[in-house]
Amino acid sequence: MDILGATLRVCVDDLETAVPFYERLAGGTALRFERGGVQVAAIGCFLLMSGPEAELEVLRKVAATIAVADVDEAHKVLTELGAYIVAGPVTTPVGRNMIVMHPDGAIYEYVDRRS
């Protein structure tokens, strides 16, 4: 399983206020989208999220997003290592993802970027 990088997940009250700070910090422009009623801005290694508290409560449980070369391969390796697959793998507009609980209880999102 090839881990390509990690994205830090940050829940914010006001996305419009937070984006300029993180754009300057990361030296890039935010890629914005909405998913499940949550407004999202991806900037460098940061994934800012803002929306209804009920949605953010769930998102806060995921420590980070880990990019991998292939989610299906990651699924195989992680289950062999005793991880619990909470959700997925599922196809998204930019690739596939899954939510995984490691044996120590930490929860991560694993994603790949397929064309």
Side-chain angles (χ1 to χ4, degrees):
M1 175 175 74
D2 292 330
I3 295 178
L4 307 175
T7 302
L8 305 171
R9 301 163 63 95
V10 183
C11 294
V12 298
D13 292 330
D14 183 350
L15 195 65
E16 297 309 314
T17 300
V19 164
F21 172 83
Y22 283 94
E23 284 180 330
R24 180 104 189 258
L25 180 66
T29 303
L31 170 64
R32 295 175 183 241
F33 57 95
E34 181 181 338
R35 184 156 184 196
V38 175
Q39 297 296 317
V40 180
I43 311 163
C45 67
F46 299 100
L47 188 64
L48 307 180
M49 299 173 287
S50 183
E53 186 54 39
E55 296 293 329
L56 294 180
E57 182 180 339
V58 173
L59 295 172
R60 283 187 182 100
K61 294 178 181 177
V62 179
T65 298
I66 300 171
V68 294
D70 184 339
V71 162
D72 293 324
E73 179 187 1
H75 182 279
K76 180 180 181 296
V77 170
L78 288 161
T79 55
E80 287 172 358
L81 293 171
Y84 171 71
I85 308 304
V86 176
V90 297
T91 301
T92 73
V94 294
R96 294 173 51 78
N97 78 341
M98 66 181 169
I99 306 297
V100 179
M101 181 184 295
H102 290 187
D104 61 8
I107 300 174
Y108 296 94
E109 175 187 32
Y110 284 81
V111 300
D112 63 24
R113 300 286 183 244
R114 296 196 175 170
S115 18

